[in-house]
Each structure stands twice: as structure tokens, then as C-alpha cells.
């Protein structure tokens, strides 16, 4: 199989590959989350009600994003395994299947969300801010294709080690959104609808850039020549075997957020939802090192598995946890020490000044959640890389929807600890679940190595 520098990197030393892949991923994810935070900051200037509405629509938005990231992970995993096995023809074919699947999934999800959005929002307890939520959500879900396709196509770029093209469009989308937010929201006086238009337009431009590279410039390692396309239903299946569970992982997280919003609404009302919405976006930034390293591990693990280099698989899992944990400790300390200053960015207006001390307290509690993420994220993404997306999904389901939710309910309601109890329950459940996830990936890799040694491979 002919190789370029990207392929040589992705098939070489796992540590070097993770180092090279992870930083651009983290940087692009950082821009995305900063972009989301800026959305919250500008919307906060409209008052607590629009900010709370953003909090109610966020879980649905994250489900959409989760499908994009999930299908992208499925394509990444399949293509990486073909590259590891040095089968470029199948890798090209898989990339085209991945692209076709992105179009189909975009259309289906857009229709489903547009038809079900209002009843879902009412079920979530958003009736008091339903107009704001509908104004924002309708625009977002009409533009589903622009939001969902870039991470799916980017998964193919990551599989071939072309991290620049996988991350540059995503970063560009975030920058465009940041520029357009104040113009659309305040200059054009579009309010929360302006925030939605800005969120959708950036990814659309990025998608056009990706199509330029693939179909006009045609200088990617993987070929997208449809003349050589051979429809293979097993490839769709292989992508979805990883992609659907990975997408459902985000669905689980979003459903968890819905339940947390509902519990907070019961104990404290919409103000607590606004606090959680703003504060959790900061916590998401703190998770970036672990999530970025884990995303890089999908490609590296897929290549190692395809080449049957299982020791490299172990190196990938352990090294990913190590560097992500070091970074997470640093981020956690920063958030704890500067919680007041960070909280101020969400309370700059007279309408939202009341949120500052509440957000600061939230950050000083929930920053510790960041310390557990390296274990769960690295384990889950390595499972995805080797094509075991279902295992990753069930581990996430057990961690987030069973342990986190149960402990949050117990401490918040049974032990009558209110908001504080809900947050402590999330910490306790997340910590236990993440350690269990990492133990599972170690056991799985040990089994692979022992099986190979027994069979003399």
C-alpha cells in the first residue's frame, strides 16, 4: 500500500501518533466549546429566560452533534482498520460509504427533530420559555445537514492521519459563529434566532470547504471517485455497528442532561437550569484534553487492531489516560481557583448579575468531574477504534444513565440535599463508572494478547 507522511505517522509509534493527532483535535474542540460559551454569553445578555431556553434545547442539539460524531467515529474506525491491514481499495470504498451515510442520516434526523421538538421541550419542563426554545431549535434543526456532515467527513480525514483537514473546517465554523453572533443577535436585532443562524452558517461554510478538497482539488489520500464505488451493505453495517452506539452515547448524555434539568427545575426552578447550562459549558472545556486524546486514540487503535499489533493497542490506551489525566488535573485546579472570575463572563449584564455566585459555586464543585473523564473517554474510544462500539455504549449507559442518575437522585431527593446533592451524585456516579470502564479495556486487550499467543499468531 502506497504511503504518505500522514499514513506513516498513523501506522508508526502510537505515542507519537496520539501526540500529533490530539492537539489539533483539542484545539478545534476548544473553539467549538468557546463558540458555545459565547452563544451563552450573548444570549445571557437577553436575560435569564432566553439563557434557560438555550439550556433546554442544548440536550437536543447535543443529540444531533452526537450522531455526527458517532457516525464519524464509525467511519474512522472502519477506514483505520483497512489502512492498518494495508487495504487501500477497501479504505477508499469505506470513505465513500461514510459520505453517503452522512447524507441519509442528516435528512432523517432533521425530519425527526422538527416533528418532535415542541412536545419534547414541553416534556422537559420548558413550557415557561417555550417560544425562545422553539425559535432557536427550529433554525438549528432545519440546518441539520450542515451541523452533522462535517464531523462525519472529518472522521475519514482523521482515519488517514490528515488531522489538519479534519479539524480546520470545524475551527473555521466556530470562528465564523463567534463573529456573526453579536451581529445577528444585537445589530440585526434577531435575538435568540440570530444565535441559531450564526451557529448553523459556520458549519455550512466548513462543509463547502471539505467538498472542495474532496471533489475539486482531489488531493486527499483517500479517493472519492464514485466510478470505483462498489456498494457494500456490510460496510454500512460496520460503520453503524460503531456509529450507532457512539451516537447513542451522546443520546444517553443528552437524556441525562434532560433529567438533570428536570430535577434542578423541581428543586430550584429555571434559574438553576441557567446556572447548570452556563457552568456545564465551562466544565466541558475542562474535559477537552481527555476527549481530544480519546478521539485521537480511535484512529491509532483502529490501525493497531487492523495490523494485529495488540501491544500497540495497550500502549494507546495507557498513554492516552496518562497524558489526559495530567492535563485534566491542571485544568481542574485552574477552574477551582478562578471560579469567580470565570463566572463573571455569564453575569456581565444587569439581567444576569444574580447568576455570578451561583455559577462560581457550581464550578468549584463540578470541576472535580473532569478528573474522571480520562479513564472513561480513553477506554470508550479504544473500544470504538477496534470496532466494539456496542461495548463502549453499554459502559457509557451504565456510567451515566445508571450510576450518575441514581446517585444524583439519591443525594438530591432521598437525602434531601437539593442542588448540591444532585451535583455530588453526578461526581460519585461518574467516578465509579469511569474506573470500571478503564478496567474493562485493560481486560479486553489482555484477552486479545493471550488469544494471539495461544494461537501462535
Amino acid at each position: 500500500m502506497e504511503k504518505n507522511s500522514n499514513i506513516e505517522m498513523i501506522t508508526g509509534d502510537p505515542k507519537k501518533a496520539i501526540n500529533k493527532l490530539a492537539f489539533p483535535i483539542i484545539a478545534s474542540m476548544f473553539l467549538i466549546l468557546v463558540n458555545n460559551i459565547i452563544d451563552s454569553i450573548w444570549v445571557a445578555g437577553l436575560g435569564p429566560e432566553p439563557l434557560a431556553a438555550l439550556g433546554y434545547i442544548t440536550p437536543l442539539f447535543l443529540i444531533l452533534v452526537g450522531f455526527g460524531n458517532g457516525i464519524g467515529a464509525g467511519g474512522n474506525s472502519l477506514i483505520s482498520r483497512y489502512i492498518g491491514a494495508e487495504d487501500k481499495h477497501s479504505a477508499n470504498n469505506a470513505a465513500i460509504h461514510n459520505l453517503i451515510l452522512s447524507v441519509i442520516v442528516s435528512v432523517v434526523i432533521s425530519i425527526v427533530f422538527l416533528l418532535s421538538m415542541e412536545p419534547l421541550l414541553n416534556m422537559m419542563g420548558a413550557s415557561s420559555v417555550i417560544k425562545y426554545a422553539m425559535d432557536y431549535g427550529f433554525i438549528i434543526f432545519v440546518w441539520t445537514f450542515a451541523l452533522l456532515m462535517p464531523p462525519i467527513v472529518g472522521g475519514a480525514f482523521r482515519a488517514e492521519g490528515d488531522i489538519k483537514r479534519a479539524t480546520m473546517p470545524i475551527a473555521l465554523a466556530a470562528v465564523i459563529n463567534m463573529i456573526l453572533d453579536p451581529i445577528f443577535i444585537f445589530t440585526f436585532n434577531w435575538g435568540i434566532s440570530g444565535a441559531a443562524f450564526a451557529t448553523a452558517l459556520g458549519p455550512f461554510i466548513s462543509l463547502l470547504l471539505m467538498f472542495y478538497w474532496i471533489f475539486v482539488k482531489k488531493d486527499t489520500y483517500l479517493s472519492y471517485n464514485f466510478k470505483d464505488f462498489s456498494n457494500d451493505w456490510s460496510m454500512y453495517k460496520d460503520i453503524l455497528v460503531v456509529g450507532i452506539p457512539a451516537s447513542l452515547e451522546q443520546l444517553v448524555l443528552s437524556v441525562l442532561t434532560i433529567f438533570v434539568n428536570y430535577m434542578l427545575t423541581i428543586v430550584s426552578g429555571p434559574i438553576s437550569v441557567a446556572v447548570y447550562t452556563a457552568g456545564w459549558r465551562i466544565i466541558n472545556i475542562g474535559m477537552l484534553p481527555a476527549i481530544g486524546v480519546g478521539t485521537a486514540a480511535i484512529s491509532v487503535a483502529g490501525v493497531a487492531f487492523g495490523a494485529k499489533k495488540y501491544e500497540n493497542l495497550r500502549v494507546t490506551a495507557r498513554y492516552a489516560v496518562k497524558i489526559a489525566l495530567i492535563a485534566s488535573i491542571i485544568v481542574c485546579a485552574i477552574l477551582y481557583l478562578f471560579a469567580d472570575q470565570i463566572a463573571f463572563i455569564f453575569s456581565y449584564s444587569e439581567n444576569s448579575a444574580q447568576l455570578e455566585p451561583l455559577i462560581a459555586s457550581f464550578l468549584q464543585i463540578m470541576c472535580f468531574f473532569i478528573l474522571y473523564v480520562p479513564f472513561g473517554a480513553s477506554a470508550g474510544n479504544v473500544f470504538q477504534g477496534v470496532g466494539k462500539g456496542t461495548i463502549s455504549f453499554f459502559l457509557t449507559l451504565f456510567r451515566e444513565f445508571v450510576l450518575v442518575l441514581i446517585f444524583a437522585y439519591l443525594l438530591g431527593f432521598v437525602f434531601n440535599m437539593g442542588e448540591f446533592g444532585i451535583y455530588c451524585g453526578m461526581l460519585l456516579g461518574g467516578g465509579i463508572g469511569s474506573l470500571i470502564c478503564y478496567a474493562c479495556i485493560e481486560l479486553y486487550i489482555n484477552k486479545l494478547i493471550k488469544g494471539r499467543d495461544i494461537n501462535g499468531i
Side-chain angles (χ1 to χ4, degrees):
M1 181 180 70
E2 61 175 304
K3 295 184 178 182
N4 59 21
S5 60
N6 290 327
I7 297 299
E8 290 175 354
M9 177 271 296
I10 202 73
T11 57
D13 182 355
K15 294 182 180 180
K16 292 181 179 179
I18 288 176
N19 289 338
K20 186 167 183 178
L21 292 173
F23 181 76
I25 293 173
I26 293 170
S28 65
M29 288 181 172
F30 175 77
L31 283 174
I32 292 171
L33 287 177
V34 167
N35 168 36
N36 288 338
I37 290 171
I38 288 175
D39 266 354
S40 297
I41 293 171
W42 289 118
V43 172
L46 300 172
E49 289 80 11
L51 183 58
L54 197 62
Y56 286 113
I57 205 71
T58 293
L60 302 181
F61 175 77
L62 290 178
I63 292 173
L64 186 157
V65 173
F67 271 102
N69 291 335
I71 302 301
N76 185 349
S77 173
L78 180 62
I79 297 166
S80 295
R81 280 179 272 144
Y82 281 129
I83 289 174
E86 300 189 353
D87 185 352
K88 187 174 186 295
H89 173 74
S90 295
N92 291 338
N93 209 16
I96 299 174
H97 281 75
N98 188 57
L99 182 61
I100 294 172
L101 200 57
S102 72
V103 176
I104 297 171
V105 172
S106 296
V107 173
V108 172
I109 291 179
S110 180
I111 293 172
V112 169
F113 273 111
L114 288 172
L115 293 177
S116 63
M117 179 173 54
E118 186 170 3
L120 283 175
L121 288 171
N122 283 318
M123 287 173 58
M124 292 160 58
S127 57
S128 62
V129 292
I130 190 67
K131 183 182 183 305
Y132 290 115
M134 288 293 294
D135 287 346
Y136 186 88
F138 179 79
I139 295 167
I140 289 295
F141 297 124
V142 165
W143 287 76
T144 292
F145 74 96
L147 295 162
L148 195 144
M149 290 183 68
I152 296 178
V153 178
F157 287 143
R158 285 195 301 274
E160 64 177 77
D162 195 344
I163 198 62
K164 180 179 178 180
R165 284 178 171 164
T167 56
M168 182 189 299
I170 297 173
L172 176 64
V175 172
I176 291 172
N177 189 11
M178 288 183 228
I179 294 171
L180 295 181
D181 259 335
I183 298 173
F184 286 178
I185 295 173
F186 296 110
T187 304
F188 291 176
N189 200 30
W190 290 352
I192 197 170
S193 296
F197 274 117
T199 298
L201 190 56
F204 174 69
I205 295 174
S206 296
L207 181 61
L208 294 180
L209 177 61
M210 287 180 158
F211 284 168
Y212 168 75
W213 287 329
I214 292 172
F215 298 115
V216 179
K217 199 172 183 182
K218 297 182 180 180
D219 62 347
T220 58
Y221 174 76
L222 295 170
S223 171
Y224 291 82
N225 189 341
F226 280 85
K227 292 182 180 179
D228 300 326
F229 171 65
S230 176
N231 191 54
D232 185 345
W233 291 105
S234 67
M235 285 194 175
Y236 294 117
K237 178 183 176 181
D238 285 341
I239 293 172
L240 293 175
V241 162
V242 174
I244 290 179
S247 302
L248 291 177
E249 288 185 34
Q250 184 60 65
L251 175 62
V252 168
L253 297 175
S254 298
V255 171
L256 173 66
T257 300
I258 291 171
F259 275 99
V260 171
N261 281 344
Y262 186 72
M263 288 190 287
L264 290 172
T265 300
I266 293 174
V267 298
S268 300
I271 293 297
S272 64
V273 175
V275 170
Y276 178 70
T277 299
W280 193 249
R281 294 193 175 200
I282 298 296
I283 299 301
N284 279 333
I285 286 184
M287 297 179 190
L288 285 181
I291 296 173
V293 171
T295 302
I298 295 176
S299 301
V300 182
V303 168
F305 185 80
K308 297 183 180 180
K309 296 179 179 178
Y310 301 138
E311 287 82 3
N312 283 358
L313 204 56
R314 174 184 282 162
V315 171
T316 299
R318 293 181 178 178
Y319 186 71
V321 169
K322 177 182 176 181
I323 61 174
L325 182 59
I326 292 172
S328 296
I329 291 172
I330 296 171
V331 173
C332 180
I334 292 172
L335 292 183
Y336 187 89
L337 293 174
F338 296 98
D340 290 332
Q341 291 82 354
I342 296 170
F344 177 75
I345 66 176
F346 292 98
S347 51
Y348 63 91
S349 73
E350 183 178 346
N351 290 329
S352 55
Q354 59 183 310
L355 301 178
E356 181 179 352
L358 301 175
I359 295 174
S361 296
F362 173 89
L363 292 176
Q364 290 187 323
I365 297 170
M366 294 305 293
C367 66
F368 294 102
F369 192 92
I370 296 168
L371 301 180
Y372 307 136
V373 178
F375 299 94
S378 297
N381 283 305
V382 170
F383 272 125
Q384 291 174 11
V386 301
K388 301 294 182 181
T390 303
I391 296 177
S392 177
F393 166 68
F394 279 112
L395 289 173
T396 299
L397 181 67
F398 177 72
R399 180 180 70 242
E400 303 293 346
F401 203 65
V402 177
L403 294 179
V404 170
L405 190 58
I406 287 176
F407 280 113
Y409 177 79
L410 286 175
L411 296 184
F413 292 90
V414 176
F415 290 93
N416 201 32
M417 294 172 63
E419 264 183 272
F420 179 72
I422 292 172
Y423 298 147
C424 288
M426 293 175 69
L427 287 174
L428 185 58
I432 294 172
S434 293
L435 294 176
I436 292 173
C437 289
Y438 185 72
C440 288
I441 193 61
E442 284 283 350
L443 290 172
Y444 176 76
I445 296 173
N446 286 339
K447 183 179 179 181
L448 286 176
I449 294 174
K450 288 180 181 179
R452 182 198 58 192
D453 292 342
I454 291 173
N455 294 321
I457 298 176

